[in-house]
């Protein structure tokens, strides 16, 4: 599976620049992760990368939605109708995710794990098989949501037993911010962190901004490139990484909780976030509701969430970009003729 964003210039920079690059890849959170550090002290860079990957592995094991983890224990307690004591970290993650979900009109909802399971996406490999319509209807009748979760200190309970937490659309962004903090603590000023297409930049590469590519949703290679400045993050939600096809119809993992079915009006949404302590988290969380909102509502929702740099590719491959992001993009092969700039 192709990553949502590709760091296609990283190796060129490694070959052409004078400051050595230390780079390591791993497979965590169900995707490929990559950490690139520009440091004149290679051993320092390697230690910093090891610390980051160690934290990624810890988070992956602690909050896995369908393998034994602290999160799966909480989901079992919710299904049994019992309150459950969780770690302070997990309690804070739930509170934070609830706030983000509310800001996005609950289109981003980490409480729909049961619906994700019905569609078969809670698996490393999934079948090209539609869930029974009756099962979708039953879920919609209950409409469990993260909003049904009550956190009292570190005690968690749910108003509905069918709530099941799945942080798959949220944890990668949190991990980006954790990685940035770890690298800074380790004395690293210049780095690029890529978690399955969510990318955060620190500093620069010998005075030049890091440049990343935005994956084309239907063709190999990038659709456009953009320079990331210190602390900025970029994230893409696309229908081309986790999906299956039945009778020529594509069913992606981006589920619309209002309908119980995958959103089918959008191929990809990319958001670029300004520098800040939560840039990584937001790059992951806000692209989902904008993707799901649909052609008429996504600009209003983006504005409501304070997101002014958005690129959307609709189901027919037409491109829509906000003015703020349009000024920064370099399209491969020149500006598309059908590009629509959204004020």
């Amino acid at each position: 599976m192709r990553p949502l964003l590709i760091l296609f210039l990283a190796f060129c920079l490694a070959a052409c620049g004078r400051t050595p690059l230390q780079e390591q890849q791993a497979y965590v959170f169900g995707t490929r992760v990559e950490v690139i550090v520009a440091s004149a002290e290679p051993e320092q860079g390697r230690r910093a990368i090891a610390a980051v990957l160690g934290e990624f592995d810890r988070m992956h094991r602690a909050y896995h939605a369908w393998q034994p983890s602290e999160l799966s224990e909480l989901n079992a307690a919710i299904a049994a109708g019992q309150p459950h004591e969780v770690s302070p970290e997990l309690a804070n993650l739930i509170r934070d995710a609830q706030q983000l979900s509310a800001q996005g009109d609950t289109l981003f909802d980490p409480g729909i794990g049961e619906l994700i399971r019905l569609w078969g996406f809670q698996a490393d490999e999934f079948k090209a098989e539609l869930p029974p319509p009756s099962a979708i209807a039953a879920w919609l009748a209950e409409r469990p949501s993260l909003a049904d979760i009550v956190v009292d200190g570190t005690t968690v309970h749910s108003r509905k037993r069918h709530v099941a937490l799945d942080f798959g659309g949220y944890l990668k962004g949190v991990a980006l911010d954790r990685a940035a903090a770890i690298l800074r603590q380790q004395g690293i000023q210049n780095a690029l962190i890529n978690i399955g297409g969510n990318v955060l930049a620190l500093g620069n590469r010998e005075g030049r901004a890091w440049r990343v590519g935005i994956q084309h949703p239907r063709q190999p290679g990038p659709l456009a490139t953009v320079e990331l400045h210190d602390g900025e993050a970029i994230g893409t939600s696309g229908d081309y990484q986790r999906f299956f096809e039945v009778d020529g119809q594509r069913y992606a993992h981006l589920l619309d909780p209002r309908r119980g079915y995958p959103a089918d009006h959008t191929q990809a949404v990319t958001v670029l976030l300004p520098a800040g302590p939560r840039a990584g988290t937001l790059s992951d969380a806000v692209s989902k509701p904008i993707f799901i909102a649909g052609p008429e509502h996504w600009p209003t929702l983006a504005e409501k969430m304070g997101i002014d740099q958005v690129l959307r590719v609709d189901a027919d491959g037409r491109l829509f970009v906000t003015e703020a992001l349009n000024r920064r993009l370099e399209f491969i092969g020149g500006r598309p003729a059908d590009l629509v700039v959204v004020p």
Side-chain angles (χ1 to χ4, degrees), residues 101 104-116 119 136-147 252-265 288-293 301:
S101 179
D105 293 346
T106 68
L107 297 182
F108 159 70
D109 191 342
I112 65 169
E114 187 173 289
L115 181 64
I116 297 171
W119 279 94
I136 301 297
W139 185 89
L140 287 170
E142 180 72 14
R143 187 55 175 91
S145 169
L146 186 65
H253 72 292
L254 292 153
L255 304 176
D256 186 341
R258 300 167 299 185
R259 300 172 48 246
Y261 281 77
D264 58 4
H265 44 60
K288 277 74 177 178
I290 295 174
F291 184 104
I292 294 168
L301 185 58

Side-chain angles (χ1 to χ4, degrees), residues 7-17 21 23 25 32 34 36:
L7 306 179
F8 75 104
L9 292 185
F11 294 103
C12 175
L13 291 172
C16 302
L21 291 185
E23 184 265 351
Q25 298 182 14
R32 182 177 66 87
E34 181 178 29
I36 303 172

Side-chain angles (χ1 to χ4, degrees), residues 63-66 71 75 97 108-117 121-123 146 163-171 242:
Y63 305 120
H64 203 293
W66 65 86
L71 190 66
N75 283 337
F108 159 70
D109 191 342
I112 65 169
E114 187 173 289
L115 181 64
I116 297 171
R117 181 188 59 78
F121 290 118
Q122 281 193 344
L146 186 65
V163 174
L165 302 183
D166 187 322
F167 284 153
Y170 167 69
L171 201 61
R242 290 179 63 81

Side-chain angles (χ1 to χ4, degrees), residues 89-112:
E89 180 182 60
L90 179 51
N92 288 333
L93 288 175
I94 294 172
R95 293 189 189 98
D96 182 51
Q98 285 179 322
Q99 293 177 357
L100 290 170
S101 179
Q103 291 170 11
D105 293 346
T106 68
L107 297 182
F108 159 70
D109 191 342
I112 65 169

